[in-house]
Amino acid sequence: VCSSDLLAVNSVQTGKARLYVAVVRNISRRKDTERQLREAQERLRGAIEALPDAFVLYDADDRLVICNQRYRDLYSLSAEAIRPGQLFEEMLRYGVALGQYAAALQDPEGWIAERLRLHRSPPSQPIEQHLGDGRWLRVFERRMPDGQTVGFRIDITELKSREEALRKSEGQLRAVVGGALDAIVVINAEGHILEFNPAAERVFGYARADVMGVAARGLLVPERHRPAYDEQIRRVLQAPHLDTEGVRIEARALTRDGGEILMEVAFNSVLGENGPVIIAFMRDITQEHAKTVALEEARVQAEEADRAKSDFLAMMSHEIRTPLNAVLGLLDLLLHTPLQPDQKRHTETARDAALALLQILNDVLDFVYTGENMARH
């Protein structure tokens, strides 16, 4: 008889003889099945323990069936109460008494009642749980058809820290954008306004709440300039790697009262959660442009005045020097003719006077020309 056989022996007395009856049943298949079941259970336990997240299973009576070590580690304060057969509510209350749940500190009973409600009727979305040691868990629970409850716990502490850092960063960014002197308008790839800072409100006359989600093309761009606007946006969106730094243009913009202003616009593009986002930094240069135009007109007028003065001086130089040279020539000829001593002396005096006048004229013209050249440079 092999060890896998089931042996039952009975004895029967018949007269002077005793008979023994043995019943033998082969149970090898059942033993193999039991062994395979034990191996499957061990593999399942091993798989549950190998999970990176906490796993737990409660039966239909809400008693703990199995959990992995990660589950006990996350709820380390109440770990000694986490054992098979223990009711979920008993483990929950044990943890609350030890301060394991941060949200339960103010109203323990109220928090326990709400947690039991969510546990017995699990919502479709996970809930977040703040532990007393500062960690955050994301809790997934599902009720199975047989009434058992399966749950997972994921440690999202690092994610919460990043979210908090992101909120602070976004708050700082909003403060910078809000305090910027330039108008900042942010649009998505479809051209709808996502951000409109206070400077933009002052420049365009619209309140931020009135323009959020509105197409910037029809709101801020004059109709005749819209094809050029479409082309510019297309180029910005198609720029390699969204590299649009340094792209600056001058463009006409439309204000709430229907007026037009001249803007200097710098485009930048970044990749947002829902695709590319275009940031337009805009500065009203209407007055600056008017000043520039006025300065240019003044410069043109000054140049015209300089040319007129130069022409006048050239004419005066010719008109004055020509007769003065004639006088000098005649006086020089006169000095080469026979003259009385008094006549010669008078003629020489006249010649010297004419020469002195010519020198004065040359000095004046040289001074004027020198001043013009210095002014031009």
Side-chain angles (χ1 to χ4, degrees), residues 42 86 90 108 112 157 201 239-241 282 306 341 372:
E42 289 299 323
Q86 194 80 359
E90 292 174 352
I112 290 173
T157 306
E201 292 180 313
H241 308 294
M282 313 176 74
D306 285 342
E372 286 182 351

Side-chain angles (χ1 to χ4, degrees), residues 209-230:
D210 295 336
V211 301
M212 298 299 289
V214 178
R217 182 182 188 272
L219 190 70
L220 306 178
V221 183
E223 185 173 358
R224 68 183 186 281
H225 293 297
R226 288 171 187 171
Y229 167 84
D230 294 338

Side-chain angles (χ1 to χ4, degrees), residues 115-125 127 139-144 148-150:
R115 181 67 188 92
L116 289 174
R117 184 188 70 80
L118 294 174
H119 175 74
R120 290 162 182 167
S121 300
S124 58
Q125 298 298 322
I127 63 173
V139 178
F140 297 83
E141 290 183 327
R142 292 291 181 273
R143 182 78 65 169
M144 296 189 293
Q148 297 187 95
T149 301
V150 63

Side-chain angles (χ1 to χ4, degrees), residues 244-313:
T244 55
E245 292 186 9
V247 178
R248 289 180 177 270
I249 63 170
E250 289 187 3
R252 292 283 175 179
L254 199 62
T255 62
R256 184 171 188 172
D257 59 9
E260 289 188 12
I261 53 178
L262 183 63
M263 305 290 289
E264 182 185 60
V265 186
F267 287 104
N268 199 1
S269 184
V270 297
L271 191 61
E273 293 183 0
N274 301 315
V277 173
I278 300 174
I279 306 173
F281 300 87
M282 313 176 74
R283 186 164 59 93
D284 186 354
I285 60 171
T286 306
Q287 294 183 355
E288 292 183 12
H289 181 71
K291 292 178 182 178
T292 301
V293 171
L295 288 173
E296 180 63 19
E297 291 177 352
R299 185 186 65 80
V300 171
Q301 292 175 358
E303 289 179 351
E304 291 178 351
D306 285 342
R307 284 195 296 270
K309 184 171 66 174
S310 297
D311 293 342
F312 173 76
L313 290 173

Side-chain angles (χ1 to χ4, degrees), residues 73-93:
D73 291 341
L74 290 179
Y75 297 110
S76 57
L77 282 180
S78 60
E80 64 176 326
I82 301 175
R83 52 184 185 271
Q86 194 80 359
L87 283 169
F88 173 79
E89 182 176 354
E90 292 174 352
M91 293 185 291
L92 188 69
R93 289 184 176 279

